[in-house]
Amino acid sequence: MEAIRPVPRTLLRDRAYEAIRDAIVAGEIEPGAVVRDAELAERLGLSRAPVRDAFSRLVDEGLLESKPQSHTRVTPLVASDVRDAAAVVGAMHELVTRVAVPRLEAADIEAMRAANERFAAAVSTTDVDAALRADDELHDVLVRVSGNRAAAATVARYTPLIRRLERQRFGEGGSCRSAGLHERLIETCAAGDVDGAVLVTAEIWRGLEELAD
């Protein structure tokens, strides 16, 4: 029975964090809602300790706010917070794009094209989850190829703040990102045009900053 081992505490903490984060981003736990560790622990089938660890991380990332001896609740959707997050994430994407473009191989370009096709199809059917997942997959190619772990960690930390607004806009029948802009990004990447790819990347993320207004 060597395959049956205790699940590491860190894994339980990560599971709790990802589940609660995704529920907040999806709007299943609404802005302003009070969250309780005991209640969420029961729903997740976990003890309270990993949920508390997840709460601490989500407070640090701006998705929860905590008042000692009072409550922990989901932060409101504040335009300035989203704008700041988009500026930081956009800068990281510009950085990784500059590094990654000269390293891209044909398979990477094809992966970006396939992701953009899924993105366009999802937008046309207003499938929010699929659209945002495809968007992540497209941009993650450049993050991965760049090999910049610090940039990847920064993107992962601040993207959920932006996703909440994007989901809201999708729910209102709009689209926060353009398959056409993605196509321009892919073409500049395929041509090895570093400066062009960085400019398109900047345009994509500038649009998200403006969306927050």
Side-chain angles (χ1 to χ4, degrees):
M1 299 292 286
E2 292 183 1
I4 306 298
R5 297 188 178 95
V7 177
R9 175 184 171 83
T10 54
L11 179 58
L12 294 176
R13 179 190 63 203
D14 291 344
R15 281 177 51 199
Y17 163 77
E18 291 169 4
I20 299 167
R21 178 202 62 196
D22 291 349
I24 293 171
V25 171
E28 295 173 13
I29 307 177
E30 297 181 350
V34 173
V35 291
R36 298 177 176 82
D37 55 6
E39 178 183 333
L40 286 176
E42 182 176 357
R43 290 175 59 184
L44 292 169
L46 300 172
S47 68
R48 294 171 69 176
V51 173
R52 287 172 178 165
D53 287 341
F55 277 11
S56 178
R57 185 172 172 184
L58 290 163
V59 167
D60 186 50
E61 294 181 0
L63 290 175
L64 291 179
E65 56 187 12
S66 182
K67 184 177 181 180
Q69 309 302 319
S70 179
H71 62 256
T72 299
R73 65 183 180 186
V74 178
T75 55
L77 191 56
V78 178
S80 61
D81 291 343
V82 177
R83 193 164 50 245
D84 290 347
V88 170
V89 173
M92 292 300 99
H93 277 292
E94 289 179 47
L95 172 64
V96 300
T97 297
R98 188 170 294 283
V99 174
V101 169
R103 303 178 181 178
L104 291 170
E105 299 181 356
D108 299 316
I109 298 297
E110 286 308 308
M112 293 174 72
R113 291 192 195 283
N116 197 35
E117 289 175 4
R118 293 192 293 274
F119 175 82
V123 169
S124 70
T125 58
T126 63
D127 186 337
V128 180
D129 289 329
L132 296 181
R133 185 165 55 248
D135 184 80
D136 279 339
E137 290 166 355
L138 189 156
H139 292 283
D140 282 351
V141 171
L142 295 169
V143 175
R144 172 180 55 78
V145 172
S146 78
N148 191 320
R149 295 174 64 184
T154 303
V155 167
R157 174 173 179 169
Y158 290 106
T159 295
L161 286 171
I162 305 166
R163 288 300 193 217
R164 286 207 292 172
L165 180 63
E166 289 185 286
R167 279 184 164 275
Q168 183 183 83
R169 293 297 184 261
F170 269 117
E172 294 169 353
S175 170
C176 297
R177 307 210 188 182
S178 162
L181 273 177
H182 285 162
E183 186 60 34
R184 283 173 51 200
L185 174 62
I186 294 166
E187 291 308 317
T188 53
C189 288
D193 181 357
V194 175
D195 290 339
V198 171
L199 285 173
V200 178
T201 298
E203 185 176 350
I204 290 171
W205 290 93
R206 186 165 57 249
L208 285 173
E209 288 185 62
E210 293 170 355
L211 186 71
D213 295 329

